[in-house]
Amino acid sequence: MKTNRISPNYKGFRFPPVIIGHAVWLYFRFSLSFRDVEELLAQRGIVVTYETVRQWCLKFGQTYANELRRRRPRCGEKWQMDEVFLTIRRKRHYLWRAVDQDGNVLAILVQSRRDKKAATRFFRKLLKGLQYVPRVIITDKLKNYGAAKRDILPGVEHRQHKGLNNRAENSHQPTRLREKKMRKFKSAKQVQRFLSAFGPISGHFQPQRHRLNAREYRATLQGRFQQWNEVTGVKLVA
């Protein structure tokens, strides 16, 4: 299916796309702070402030992530869902997440509740972004999943068991690491904005390594770097 690509607009920026793209890649791919990225760039003779890195990530991170998502093959038909709590300014919020059977993050949504209304809203966001229905969904025993599923996906098989959605539960671990590195999230809006870019970018460079031999893994990773260069508008010299 053809999609209209939104090319990054670097007009007015002093540094070339290759440096901006590299800085954004470092921040979203690894558990680094803006100051860490500033130091890594300085080691290569690129003098920028951490505030510049922050502005690059805010402006281009979501653009890169959206394009990677457009290029991603259709995800699996078995969806696993889970929610974890986040404490933001002493108030409890819930991070809803859905992944497919291969661990690809399908959607995330930060909400202040986890009732039926919140579950329904998450289902609608998920379906709007993917535009197809799954064969089966797997959740824990939270009853609000079942209530929302009966309204939104009445014909889809629903399996509820605490031990079946381990992949969704494990997918929260990188978020916890970044939460610690960022010394807790400051607002629900910040979490939503950060994870919307973090998920596609970080996941793009993490193929299912355990399913590939060394040669296949290197070839896959090389192809993904090539895609990243296309997304960021970097022209490599042969």
Side-chain angles (χ1 to χ4, degrees), residues 113-128:
R113 300 176 180 274
R114 62 170 183 168
D115 53 14
K116 178 184 176 182
K117 184 177 179 180
T120 301
R121 184 184 177 198
F122 179 61
F123 273 108
R124 286 175 175 165
K125 175 181 174 61
L126 183 58
L127 293 172
K128 182 179 179 181

Side-chain angles (χ1 to χ4, degrees), residues 140-197:
D140 56 24
K141 294 186 177 182
L142 181 67
K143 294 181 179 180
N144 294 317
Y145 280 117
K149 179 262 176 189
R150 285 191 292 271
D151 292 342
I152 307 298
L153 295 169
V156 174
E157 181 184 353
H158 184 197
R159 302 174 189 170
Q160 286 185 286
H161 191 280
K162 187 174 179 60
L164 291 179
N165 64 333
N166 289 336
R167 195 174 295 277
E169 293 176 354
N170 292 339
S171 70
H172 290 301
Q173 294 178 4
T175 301
R176 291 300 192 193
L177 291 175
R178 295 309 295 260
E179 181 185 26
K180 182 177 180 181
K181 184 68 177 180
M182 298 166 76
R183 298 180 182 178
K184 295 190 178 294
F185 297 118
K186 306 303 186 293
S187 68
K189 183 178 180 180
Q190 180 210 16
V191 182
Q192 186 72 46
R193 181 177 62 234
F194 169 74
L195 293 181
S196 294

Side-chain angles (χ1 to χ4, degrees), residues 18-149:
V18 63
I19 293 177
I20 296 175
H22 185 66
V24 174
W25 173 72
L26 284 172
Y27 179 70
F28 285 109
R29 174 62 184 89
F30 304 102
S31 185
L32 300 173
S33 68
F34 296 125
R35 293 180 187 272
D36 292 334
V37 176
E38 175 189 2
E39 187 174 339
L40 288 171
L41 294 177
Q43 190 272 334
R44 294 176 174 267
I46 303 168
V47 181
V48 298
T49 66
Y50 72 91
E51 179 61 23
T52 298
V53 175
R54 187 180 76 86
Q55 291 296 332
W56 288 348
C57 291
L58 286 176
K59 181 171 179 58
F60 297 107
Q62 192 62 59
T63 302
Y64 297 161
N66 290 343
E67 184 59 25
L68 289 174
R69 190 184 293 273
R70 291 189 189 98
R71 291 166 176 255
R72 183 175 66 182
R74 177 166 163 166
C75 295
E77 296 182 340
K78 183 185 290 185
W79 297 355
Q80 299 186 22
M81 304 179 190
D82 190 50
E83 76 291 335
V84 295
F85 74 88
L86 298 173
T87 302
I88 304 174
R89 296 188 181 275
R90 298 183 180 180
K91 294 184 179 180
R92 176 163 289 193
H93 292 72
Y94 296 92
L95 172 60
W96 300 71
R97 186 191 305 269
V99 302
D100 70 359
Q101 66 266 29
D102 296 319
N104 297 308
V105 178
L106 306 178
I108 63 103
L109 184 62
V110 180
Q111 303 188 85
S112 60
R113 300 176 180 274
R114 62 170 183 168
D115 53 14
K116 178 184 176 182
K117 184 177 179 180
T120 301
R121 184 184 177 198
F122 179 61
F123 273 108
R124 286 175 175 165
K125 175 181 174 61
L126 183 58
L127 293 172
K128 182 179 179 181
L130 297 176
Q131 298 182 346
Y132 74 95
V133 298
R135 179 178 58 83
V136 58
I137 62 172
I138 301 172
T139 69
D140 56 24
K141 294 186 177 182
L142 181 67
K143 294 181 179 180
N144 294 317
Y145 280 117
K149 179 262 176 189

